[in-house]
């Protein structure tokens, strides 16, 4: 676990002339980033999560095409993905087609699409990614339908491990976090179902890991520059340099985070909340770093040197990235709303609207896209039709109403069923040993942040809330428990944080560490065993109906 940040050392002690950090810089680094990790720890922080990622990837890719039919919202996104490849935008299914899914599943793809554009409430990137897999493996391959989400779900295992390393500086905890991700049921199902939410989770997670890398890099730069100022005698209390501290440069990891978050918003707008949350987190981290090294005007310095420049980098980069994903729409002549501006000139007195004379300077294509976005928002807000598996956000952490993506009841002799009645199901049920413990873990994080000011606990709370809290304002809208997959990585990291507390610090007694290791090991075994138990209803295995009933622990799971 990281050391608590305190006041920086008061004076320089020694200068190395061989290019290595001097003692003063090393002391500053330790105060800003915690105790330095050994080469062996750094190696295992990569090797452990990578090995787990390979195992998790094999699980996700095994029999990925099962079942060979469109399940749940794949009926939209798989067909829309292929439409993106064919036409550059989404086209509507003819109204007189009785069962378009059956035509699509059996390879009669040309008959599925009509000539009219389709109105879609989500941006295009997720469909482009799904379509890329379909193009690579063929549209008749259900493996190809799902390969994009499977690969991103696999990479997410490594990313959670890297996030844990940046947060906890423990290769053991990084590997445990990756392991819990690999065996988390909702993460697993969403990595094998070709819908958008797993992709949304991936891009937000990638942006978070990038901003954690920026935190480490910028603090190393700050330590080096402050140590140099001390050696030069420019860090006394009255020194001009100490008023605001040094600049931290261009910070390339911020650009990476911005691109990832822009790609997330180009999949679903909900990643915009992560853009805001991660942007605020990096400002608070910079504020703490400048204060820790003794910058006198640390608040104003952070605003001017870090916050403003960060906003000028992150927000425009994310927005430009988002805009570029609409290239197919811009290139087309008949996509939905593409020619709206031609029949709605910007000559009206409508204020802040795409047909207002205030925006006559804006190209017609951008005004048309603006109007399309207004329609998207209005349509998304009006999704209130009742659904059997809809849930309230209050229940998501407890996993009381998981979504059934697929269910069949084969009779004896059908699909290998050897008893009177069988079940074949895919249920996006989270691993309850993780989610139920996650409730307690988040309460611990609240305590550790409020009373101990542990930045890691506060960070995880903020990121869970960024993915969860906005949905409480849509109480009338039809929403589902699997939306929680977006903040599942941070629940897993909160659980890992608590496991680190149970394991104890490296300086603890041998007996204390052995007891902690036993408890942590038993919990990890429980999490894996829970996943194995629910495996049949994650992967559409044909099992006796009684065995399916054994796995319906709560009546609300049915």
């Amino acid at each position: 676990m990281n050391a608590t940040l305190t006041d920086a050392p008061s004076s320089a002690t020694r200068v190395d002339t061989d290019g290595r950090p001097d003692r003063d810089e090393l002391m500053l680094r330790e105060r800003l980033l915690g105790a330095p990790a050994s080469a062996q720890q750094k190696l295992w922080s990569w090797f452990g999560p990578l090995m787990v990622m390979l195992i998790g990837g094999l699980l996700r890719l095994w029999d990925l095409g099962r079942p060979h039919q469109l399940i749940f919202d794949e009926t939209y996104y798989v067909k829309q993905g292929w439409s993106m490849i064919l036409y550059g935008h989404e086209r509507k299914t003819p109204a007189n087609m009785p069962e378009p899914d059956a035509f699509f599943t059996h390879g009669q793809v040309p008959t599925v699409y009509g000539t009219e554009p389709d109105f879609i409430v989500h941006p295009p990137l997720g469909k482009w990614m799904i379509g890329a897999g379909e193009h690579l493996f063929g549209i008749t391959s259900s493996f190809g339908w799902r390969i994009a989400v499977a690969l991103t779900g696999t990479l997410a295992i490594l990313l959670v491990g890297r996030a844990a390393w940046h947060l906890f500086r423990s290769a053991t905890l990084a590997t445990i976090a990756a392991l819990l991700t690999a065996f988390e049921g909702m993460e697993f199902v969403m990595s094998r179902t070709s819908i958008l939410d797993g992709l949304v989770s991936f891009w937000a997670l990638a942006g978070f890991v990038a901003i954690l890398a920026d935190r480490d890099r910028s603090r190393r730069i700050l330590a080096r520059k402050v140590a140099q100022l001390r050696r030069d005698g420019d860090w006394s209390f009255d020194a001009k340099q100490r008023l605001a501290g040094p600049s931290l440069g261009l910070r390339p990891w911020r650009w990476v985070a911005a691109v990832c978050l822009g790609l997330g918003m180009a999949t679903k707008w909900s990643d915009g909340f992560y853009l805001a949350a991660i942007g605020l987190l990096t400002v608070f981290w910079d504020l703490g770093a400048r204060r820790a090294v003794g910058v006198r005007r640390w608040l104003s310095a952070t605003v001017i040197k870090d916050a403003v420049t960060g906003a000028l980098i992150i927000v425009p980069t994310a927005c430009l990235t988002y805009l570029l994903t609409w290239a197919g729409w811009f290139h087309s002549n008949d996509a939905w709303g593409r020619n709206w501006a031609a029949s709605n000139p910007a000559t009206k007195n409508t204020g802040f609207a795409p047909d207002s004379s205030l925006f006559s300077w804006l190209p017609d294509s951008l005004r048309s896209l603006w109007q399309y976005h207004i329609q998207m928002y209005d349509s998304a807000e009006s999704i209130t039709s009742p659904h059997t598996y809809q849930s309230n956000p209050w229940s998501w952490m407890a996993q009381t109403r998981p979504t059934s993506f697929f269910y069949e009841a084969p009779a004896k002799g059908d699909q290998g069923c050897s008893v009177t009645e069988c079940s074949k199901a895919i249920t996006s049920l989270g691993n309850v040993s993780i989610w139920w413990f996650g409730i307690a873990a988040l309460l611990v994080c609240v305590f550790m942040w409020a009373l101990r000011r542990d930045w890691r606990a506060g960070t995880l709370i903020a990121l869970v809330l960024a993915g969860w809290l906005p949905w409480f304002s849509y109480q009338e809208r039809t929403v589902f428990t699997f939306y929680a997959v977006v903040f599942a990585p941070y629940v897993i990291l909160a659980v890992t944080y608590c496991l680190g507390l149970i394991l104890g610090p490296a300086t603890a007694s041998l007996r204390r560490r052995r007891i902690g290791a036993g408890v942590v090991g038993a919990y990890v075994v429980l999490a894996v065993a829970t996943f194995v138990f629910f495996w049949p209803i994650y992967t559409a295995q044909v099992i006796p109906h009684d065995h399916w009933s054994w796995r319906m622990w709560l009546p609300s799971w049915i």
Side-chain angles (χ1 to χ4, degrees):
M1 297 289 182
N2 287 0
T4 302
L5 298 182
T6 58
D7 291 336
S10 59
S11 62
T13 54
R14 180 173 61 86
V15 179
D16 287 347
T17 58
D18 58 2
R20 293 179 299 173
D22 64 26
R23 180 181 170 188
D24 194 31
E25 181 179 340
L26 291 174
M27 292 176 67
L28 283 168
R29 279 194 188 184
E30 185 167 349
R31 291 186 182 277
L32 291 170
L33 291 167
S38 67
Q40 184 180 27
Q41 287 175 315
K42 292 178 181 178
L43 175 64
W44 276 100
S45 74
W46 279 102
F47 185 74
L50 274 171
M51 292 299 101
V52 175
M53 183 192 75
L54 292 176
I55 296 170
L58 289 174
L59 291 173
R60 282 154 174 76
L61 294 174
W62 177 82
D63 209 8
L64 180 62
R66 177 190 182 91
H68 181 68
Q69 61 190 89
L70 300 174
I71 65 172
F72 199 64
D73 281 354
E74 285 186 340
T75 185
Y76 306 115
Y77 302 122
V78 169
K79 288 183 288 190
Q80 290 167 7
W82 189 240
S83 178
M84 300 295 283
I85 297 299
L86 294 178
Y87 311 111
H89 63 92
E90 302 91 343
R91 284 199 178 178
K92 189 180 296 185
T93 300
N96 60 355
M97 179 172 289
E99 295 184 18
D101 285 8
F103 280 91
F104 195 90
T105 301
H106 292 91
Q108 298 175 345
V109 176
T111 61
V112 171
Y113 303 108
T115 58
E116 296 181 21
D118 201 1
F119 171 71
I120 305 297
V121 298
H122 297 304
L125 179 67
K127 277 104 41 157
W128 278 116
M129 295 176 69
I130 292 169
E134 294 168 334
H135 179 70
L136 186 62
F137 290 94
I139 193 56
T140 59
S141 168
S142 48
F143 181 93
W145 301 346
R146 299 168 183 144
I147 186 61
V149 294
L151 291 178
T152 53
T154 299
L155 287 173
I157 298 170
L158 176 62
L159 288 178
V160 172
R162 293 308 299 164
W165 168 254
H166 285 292
L167 290 167
F168 312 128
R169 287 296 189 272
S170 166
T172 299
L173 293 181
T175 304
I176 289 174
L179 192 68
L180 294 179
T181 306
F183 292 98
E184 202 295 291
M186 188 190 302
E187 286 270 356
F188 179 78
V189 172
M190 300 303 288
S191 297
R192 291 171 57 90
T193 307
S194 195
I195 59 179
L196 302 182
D197 300 85
L199 302 175
V200 176
S201 176
F202 171 79
W203 289 118
L205 178 61
F208 175 52
V209 174
I211 216 67
L212 284 172
D214 170 75
R215 182 183 186 274
D216 287 1
R217 181 180 180 275
S218 62
R219 289 185 171 222
R220 286 195 297 269
I221 292 172
L222 183 63
R224 186 183 74 243
K225 289 190 172 183
V226 169
Q228 183 62 50
L229 288 169
R230 290 185 176 192
R231 290 194 295 269
D232 296 340
D234 293 329
W235 200 250
S236 63
F237 185 78
D238 297 326
K240 181 179 178 181
Q241 288 281 2
R242 192 163 181 177
L243 288 176
S247 170
L248 300 179
L250 291 177
R251 304 176 69 166
W253 281 111
R254 278 184 166 180
W255 298 82
V256 175
V259 169
C260 291
L261 293 167
L263 294 173
M265 291 190 297
T267 306
K268 272 192 176 183
W269 287 350
S270 53
D271 259 2
F273 294 108
Y274 279 100
L275 177 68
I278 289 172
L280 289 173
L281 283 173
T282 188
V283 171
F284 284 122
W285 295 340
D286 290 341
L287 189 150
R290 289 189 181 275
R291 185 179 183 184
V293 298
V295 172
R296 289 175 57 195
R297 297 179 181 174
W298 44 270
L299 180 57
S300 59
T302 300
V303 171
I304 295 170
K305 292 196 170 188
D306 302 316
V308 173
T309 56
L312 291 175
I313 289 172
I314 293 175
V315 175
T317 302
C319 291
L320 179 60
T321 302
Y322 175 88
L323 200 61
L324 289 174
T325 65
W326 286 86
W329 184 89
F330 282 114
H331 187 260
S332 71
N333 294 317
D334 57 349
W336 180 273
R338 180 64 181 83
N339 301 307
W340 177 88
S343 55
N344 292 271
T347 57
K348 299 179 181 178
N349 186 24
T350 51
F352 195 81
D355 59 356
S356 170
S357 58
L358 294 175
F359 300 99
S360 59
W361 54 270
L362 200 64
D364 281 359
S365 59
L366 291 178
R367 289 199 303 114
S368 295
L369 186 63
W370 181 0
Q371 174 63 22
Y372 188 5
H373 278 61
I374 293 173
Q375 294 175 308
M376 289 165 66
Y377 179 81
D378 291 342
S379 178
E381 198 175 34
S382 65
I383 300 174
T384 57
S385 301
H387 192 282
T388 304
Y389 287 97
Q390 70 184 69
S391 63
N392 192 288
W394 285 109
S395 69
W396 292 357
M397 285 296 302
Q399 293 289 305
T400 57
R401 188 55 173 164
T403 310
S404 175
F405 283 178
F406 172 81
Y407 185 86
E408 289 182 349
K412 187 174 183 179
D414 183 21
Q415 302 184 54
C417 179
S418 58
V419 295
T420 303
E421 184 181 2
C422 289
S423 292
K424 181 181 179 183
I426 297 176
T427 306
S428 62
L429 172 67
N431 187 324
V432 292
S433 63
I434 295 174
W435 284 91
W436 291 351
F437 182 35
I439 297 172
L442 290 177
L443 293 176
V444 171
C445 285
V446 171
F447 174 85
M448 295 299 288
W449 177 75
L451 299 183
R452 302 281 183 90
R453 287 295 184 266
D454 191 325
W455 70 274
R456 299 161 300 182
T459 294
L460 297 177
I461 293 167
L463 294 175
V464 168
L465 292 179
W468 187 19
L469 196 59
W471 293 107
F472 287 91
S473 62
Y474 296 98
Q475 290 293 311
E476 302 301 321
R477 183 177 165 177
T478 308
V479 296
F480 301 93
T481 301
F482 67 82
Y483 291 2
V485 73
V486 175
F487 61 85
Y490 317 108
V491 174
I492 291 169
L493 288 168
V495 169
T496 305
Y497 175 79
C498 290
L499 294 178
L501 297 176
I502 294 170
L503 186 61
T507 55
S509 66
L510 180 61
R511 182 173 181 273
R512 166 72 176 82
R513 292 281 287 182
R514 283 178 174 173
I515 293 174
V519 172
V520 170
Y523 173 79
V524 172
V525 170
L526 173 64
V528 175
T530 304
F531 174 85
V532 172
F533 178 74
F534 286 105
W535 165 270
I537 67 169
Y538 291 152
T539 56
Q541 302 301 308
V542 177
I543 57 176
H545 181 74
D546 288 346
H547 292 199
W548 174 82
S549 298
W550 296 347
R551 291 164 172 84
M552 297 295 104
W553 291 357
L554 302 177
S556 59
W557 287 6
I558 298 174

